[in-house]
Coordinates of all heavy atoms in Angstrom, one line a residue:
A1 N 25.5 2.5 1.0 CA 24.3 2.3 1.8 C 23.1 3.0 1.3 O 22.0 2.5 1.4 CB 24.6 2.8 3.2
I2 N 23.3 4.2 0.7 CA 22.1 5.0 0.2 C 21.5 4.2 -0.9 O 20.2 4.1 -1.0 CB 22.6 6.4 -0.3 CG1 23.0 7.2 0.9 CG2 21.5 7.1 -1.0 CD1 23.6 8.6 0.6
E3 N 22.2 3.6 -1.8 CA 21.6 2.8 -2.9 C 20.8 1.6 -2.3 O 19.8 1.3 -2.8 CB 22.7 2.3 -3.8 CG 23.5 3.4 -4.6 CD 24.6 2.8 -5.4 OE1 24.7 1.6 -5.6 OE2 25.5 3.6 -5.8
T4 N 21.4 1.0 -1.3 CA 20.7 -0.1 -0.6 C 19.3 0.4 0.0 O 18.3 -0.3 -0.2 CB 21.5 -0.7 0.5 OG1 22.7 -1.3 -0.2 CG2 20.8 -1.9 1.2
I5 N 19.4 1.5 0.7 CA 18.1 2.0 1.3 C 17.1 2.3 0.2 O 15.9 1.9 0.4 CB 18.5 3.3 2.1 CG1 19.4 3.0 3.3 CG2 17.2 4.0 2.5 CD1 20.0 4.2 3.9
V6 N 17.5 3.0 -0.9 CA 16.5 3.3 -1.9 C 16.0 2.1 -2.6 O 14.8 1.9 -2.9 CB 17.2 4.3 -2.9 CG1 16.2 4.5 -4.1 CG2 17.5 5.6 -2.2
G7 N 16.9 1.1 -2.9 CA 16.5 -0.1 -3.6 C 15.5 -0.9 -2.8 O 14.5 -1.4 -3.3
A8 N 15.8 -1.0 -1.5 CA 14.9 -1.8 -0.6 C 13.6 -1.1 -0.5 O 12.5 -1.7 -0.5 CB 15.5 -1.9 0.8
A9 N 13.6 0.2 -0.4 CA 12.3 1.0 -0.2 C 11.4 0.8 -1.4 O 10.2 0.7 -1.3 CB 12.6 2.5 0.0
K10 N 12.0 0.8 -2.6 CA 11.2 0.6 -3.8 C 10.6 -0.8 -3.8 O 9.5 -1.0 -4.3 CB 12.1 0.7 -5.1 CG 12.5 2.2 -5.3 CD 13.4 2.3 -6.6 CE 13.8 3.7 -6.8 NZ 14.7 3.9 -8.0
S11 N 11.3 -1.8 -3.2 CA 10.7 -3.1 -3.1 C 9.6 -3.2 -2.1 O 8.9 -4.2 -2.0 CB 11.8 -4.1 -2.8 OG 12.8 -4.2 -3.8
F12 N 9.5 -2.2 -1.2 CA 8.5 -2.3 -0.1 C 7.2 -1.6 -0.5 O 6.3 -1.5 0.3 CB 9.0 -1.5 1.1 CG 10.2 -2.2 1.8 CD1 11.0 -1.5 2.6 CD2 10.3 -3.5 1.7 CE1 12.1 -2.1 3.3 CE2 11.4 -4.2 2.4 CZ 12.2 -3.4 3.2
D13 N 7.0 -1.3 -1.8 CA 5.8 -0.7 -2.3 C 4.6 -1.6 -1.9 O 3.5 -1.0 -1.6 CB 5.8 -0.5 -3.8 CG 6.7 0.7 -4.2 OD1 7.0 1.5 -3.3 OD2 7.0 0.8 -5.4
F14 N 4.7 -2.9 -1.9 CA 3.6 -3.8 -1.6 C 3.1 -3.6 -0.1 O 2.0 -4.0 0.2 CB 4.0 -5.2 -1.8 CG 4.9 -5.8 -0.8 CD1 4.5 -6.7 0.2 CD2 6.3 -5.5 -0.8 CE1 5.3 -7.2 1.1 CE2 7.2 -6.0 0.1 CZ 6.7 -6.9 1.1
L15 N 4.0 -3.0 0.7 CA 3.6 -2.8 2.1 C 2.9 -1.5 2.3 O 2.4 -1.2 3.5 CB 4.9 -2.8 3.0 CG 5.6 -4.2 3.1 CD1 6.9 -4.0 3.9 CD2 4.7 -5.2 3.8
G16 N 2.8 -0.6 1.3 CA 2.2 0.7 1.5 C 3.0 1.5 2.4 O 4.2 1.7 2.2
E17 N 2.4 2.1 3.4 CA 3.1 2.9 4.4 C 3.5 2.1 5.6 O 4.1 2.7 6.6 CB 2.1 4.0 4.8 CG 1.7 5.0 3.8 CD 3.0 5.8 3.3 OE1 3.7 6.3 4.1 OE2 3.1 5.9 2.0
D18 N 3.3 0.8 5.6 CA 3.5 0.0 6.8 C 4.9 -0.6 6.9 O 5.1 -1.8 6.9 CB 2.4 -1.1 6.8 CG 2.4 -1.8 8.2 OD1 2.8 -1.1 9.2 OD2 1.9 -2.9 8.3
Y19 N 5.9 0.3 6.8 CA 7.3 -0.2 7.0 C 8.1 1.0 7.5 O 7.7 2.1 7.4 CB 7.8 -0.8 5.7 CG 8.3 0.3 4.7 CD1 9.6 0.8 4.7 CD2 7.3 0.8 3.8 CE1 9.9 1.7 3.8 CE2 7.7 1.8 2.9 CZ 9.0 2.2 2.9 OH 9.4 3.2 2.0
E20 N 9.3 0.7 8.0 CA 10.3 1.7 8.4 C 11.7 1.2 8.1 O 11.9 0.0 8.0 CB 10.2 2.0 9.9 CG 10.4 0.7 10.8 CD 10.2 1.0 12.2 OE1 10.1 2.1 12.6 OE2 10.1 0.0 13.0
T21 N 12.6 2.1 7.8 CA 13.9 1.8 7.5 C 14.8 2.4 8.7 O 14.8 3.6 8.9 CB 14.4 2.3 6.2 OG1 13.6 1.8 5.2 CG2 15.9 1.9 5.9
I22 N 15.5 1.5 9.4 CA 16.4 2.0 10.5 C 17.8 1.8 10.0 O 18.2 0.6 9.7 CB 16.0 1.2 11.8 CG1 14.6 1.5 12.2 CG2 17.0 1.6 12.9 CD1 14.1 0.7 13.4
V23 N 18.6 2.8 10.1 CA 20.0 2.7 9.7 C 20.8 2.9 11.0 O 20.6 3.9 11.7 CB 20.4 3.9 8.8 CG1 21.9 3.8 8.5 CG2 19.7 3.7 7.4
V24 N 21.6 1.9 11.4 CA 22.4 2.0 12.5 C 23.8 2.5 12.0 O 24.5 1.7 11.3 CB 22.5 0.6 13.2 CG1 23.5 0.8 14.5 CG2 21.2 0.2 13.7
D25 N 24.1 3.7 12.4 CA 25.4 4.3 11.9 C 26.5 3.9 12.9 O 26.6 4.3 14.0 CB 25.2 5.8 11.9 CG 26.4 6.5 11.4 OD1 27.4 5.8 11.0 OD2 26.5 7.8 11.4
N26 N 27.4 3.0 12.4 CA 28.5 2.5 13.2 C 29.8 3.4 13.0 O 30.9 2.9 13.2 CB 28.9 1.1 12.8 CG 28.1 0.1 13.5 OD1 27.5 0.4 14.6 ND2 28.1 -1.2 13.1
A27 N 29.6 4.7 12.7 CA 30.7 5.6 12.5 C 31.5 5.7 13.8 O 30.9 5.8 14.9 CB 30.3 6.9 12.0
K28 N 32.8 5.7 13.7 CA 33.7 5.9 14.9 C 33.7 7.3 15.3 O 33.3 8.2 14.5 CB 35.1 5.4 14.6 CG 35.2 3.9 14.2 CD 36.7 3.6 13.9 CE 36.8 2.1 13.5 NZ 38.2 1.8 13.1
V29 N 34.0 7.6 16.5 CA 34.1 9.0 17.0 C 35.2 9.7 16.1 O 36.3 9.2 15.9 CB 34.6 9.0 18.5 CG1 34.8 10.4 18.9 CG2 33.5 8.3 19.3
G30 N 34.8 10.9 15.6 CA 35.7 11.6 14.8 C 35.4 11.4 13.3 O 35.8 12.2 12.5
E31 N 34.7 10.4 12.9 CA 34.3 10.1 11.5 C 33.1 10.9 11.2 O 32.2 11.2 12.1 CB 34.1 8.7 11.2 CG 35.4 7.8 11.3 CD 35.1 6.4 10.9 OE1 34.0 5.9 11.1 OE2 36.1 5.7 10.5
E32 N 32.9 11.2 9.9 CA 31.7 11.8 9.4 C 30.5 10.9 9.7 O 30.5 9.8 9.3 CB 31.8 12.2 8.0 CG 32.7 13.3 7.7 CD 32.2 14.7 8.2 OE1 31.0 14.9 8.2 OE2 33.0 15.5 8.7

């Protein structure tokens, strides 16, 4: 997921500061 976040963000340069990345963490209770 970290590689995906960084790769997508690099592609968002054309948007300048006008974007956000939201990660929905589906970790189960007890998982890291």
Side-chain angles (χ1 to χ4, degrees):
I2 292 176
E3 296 176 15
T4 297
I5 293 167
V6 172
K10 288 179 178 178
S11 296
F12 289 156
D13 285 347
F14 73 103
L15 293 173
E17 295 294 313
D18 194 22
Y19 77 92
E20 60 186 345
T21 301
I22 296 175
V23 177
V24 180
D25 183 4
N26 271 345
K28 297 177 182 178
V29 176
E31 290 182 335
E32 288 293 323

